Amino acid sequence: MVTTTEYLILAAALFTIGVIGVLTRRNIIIIFMSIELILNAVNINLVAFSNYWQQFTGQIYALFVITVAAAEAAVGLGIIIALFRNKETVNADEIDLLKW
Amino acid sequence: MTFDQILFYCLAAIAIISALMVITRRNPVHSAMFLITTLFSVAGIYLQLHAEFLAAVQVIVYVGGIMVLFLFVIMLVNLEVVSTERRFNKQWIIALIASAVLLVEFGYVIVRGGKSSLLPPVTGPAQDLTRKNSEQIGLMLYQNYMLPFEIASLLLLVAIIGAVILAKRRLASDK
């Protein structure tokens, strides 16, 4: 029997790895993948609590999170393509039009 | 140690190691491949938690849909210079310190909250997660969560239109 705490620890570890990826990487596509990691960590939490309380609500919420992740990926990758067309770069620290 | 626990620790180890690979590899295609491994092991963890439908959705939507989209975009924008230039930005030390603080906070909450009875008791009768998973999720989705379901469909429609508009090539005729 695996306890809920162990699932929470796994989710916390994945979440932190995702945060590190978002904060340290330069490649904007890998930053995006790190965001997917973060969303997955949250989903593990939701499903773990769904199992803990024997309620389906957590699983349905996780389903909506996956929907939002799909929408976010589509729009975000569209933004990346538009950026690449204008700036010829995929490095997040070179896209500094709002900085002066 | 039961079979359940061995399976969980294997899946968790695969998930965490390949997640680390995702954020450290130089080549974005390798990162995408390791992310697929992570997503598969998370699907296995869903199976352990009696979320069979969600595990299937995870494989179909994430691995089959989102990751293919990622690979498409990597192929579209991949540059030769990516293999030679720096992987991490200048503020990576501060970022690591902030992440360490975050991890300590998580650890504190889990250790303190793990044994306490802060969690409120269940409202409503317990549902049987182990039987007819897809059927029960479908029923709840169309009965209790009808409005969020419709809003999600609207969100997806907006995302489709937005992605097309953003990725569309600007023609010379329209400014």
Side-chain angles (χ1 to χ4, degrees):
Chain A
M1 185 67 191
V2 188
T3 58
T4 307
T5 313
E6 286 166 282
Y7 290 109
L8 297 189
I9 292 168
L10 170 67
L14 279 181
F15 190 96
T16 314
I17 291 170
V19 170
I20 294 172
V22 169
L23 291 179
T24 61
R25 287 302 297 246
R26 293 176 77 214
N27 193 324
I28 201 166
I29 296 171
I30 292 175
I31 292 178
F32 244 77
M33 291 187 203
S34 306
I35 295 174
E36 302 296 331
L37 272 179
I38 293 174
L39 289 169
N40 258 280
V42 174
N43 272 351
I44 292 177
N45 266 355
L46 289 170
V47 179
F49 279 115
S50 154
N51 190 50
Y52 176 73
W53 274 321
Q54 295 291 305
Q55 296 283 323
F56 273 108
T57 313
Q59 293 185 21
I60 287 166
Y61 209 103
L63 209 60
F64 285 125
V65 171
I66 290 178
T67 315
V68 172
E72 171 249 343
V75 173
L77 293 171
I79 292 175
I80 289 175
I81 289 176
L83 263 179
F84 183 75
R85 197 172 287 144
N86 290 325
K87 301 271 292 181
E88 291 289 312
T89 180
V90 285
N91 288 332
D93 50 0
E94 287 170 31
I95 302 160
D96 50 3
L97 281 170
L98 283 177
K99 212 159 95 182
W100 57 284
Chain B
M1 216 182 200
T2 60
F3 177 69
D4 249 16
Q5 281 173 311
I6 295 169
L7 197 65
F8 171 76
Y9 285 120
C10 287
L11 288 170
I14 294 170
I16 287 178
I17 290 170
S18 37
L20 284 171
M21 290 296 196
V22 170
I23 63 165
T24 50
R25 291 305 93 186
R26 192 178 288 279
N27 191 333
V29 179
H30 295 172
S31 289
M33 289 301 154
F34 280 113
L35 185 54
I36 289 173
T37 318
T38 307
L39 295 174
F40 266 122
S41 41
V42 171
I45 285 165
Y46 289 165
L47 283 181
Q48 271 203 312
L49 285 164
H50 305 297
E52 288 87 4
F53 181 70
L54 206 58
V57 167
Q58 168 97 352
V59 172
I60 294 168
V61 173
Y62 259 114
V63 183
I66 297 179
M67 289 319 293
V68 170
L69 201 62
F70 265 102
L71 285 171
F72 259 127
V73 173
I74 291 170
M75 305 294 173
L76 274 178
V77 304
N78 211 7
L79 292 171
E80 289 300 313
V81 286
V82 171
S83 52
T84 54
E85 61 189 4
R86 287 183 299 120
R87 269 176 287 178
F88 302 104
N89 56 22
K90 292 189 198 93
Q91 64 266 27
W92 66 274
I93 299 175
I94 305 168
L96 278 187
I97 294 168
S99 309
V101 172
L102 184 70
L103 195 61
V104 169
E105 280 178 21
F106 279 145
Y108 181 76
V109 168
I110 289 171
V111 168
R112 283 297 301 271
K115 292 179 184 67
S116 75
S117 54
L118 286 172
L119 297 172
V122 184
T123 55
Q127 293 160 315
D128 187 9
L129 292 186
T130 52
R131 291 181 60 249
K132 295 183 177 174
N133 185 276
S134 308
E135 184 184 329
Q136 293 201 60
I137 283 189
L139 282 174
M140 276 196 84
L141 212 53
Y142 279 108
Q143 286 170 352
N144 306 34
Y145 296 93
M146 193 67 212
L147 185 66
F149 186 74
E150 295 296 335
I151 293 173
S153 70
L154 209 62
L155 177 77
L156 285 173
L157 179 68
V158 171
I160 293 167
I161 298 169
V164 170
I165 296 287
L166 283 168
K168 189 180 64 148
R169 195 177 291 279
R170 293 272 187 281
L171 296 174
S173 53
D174 54 87
K175 292 192 186 170

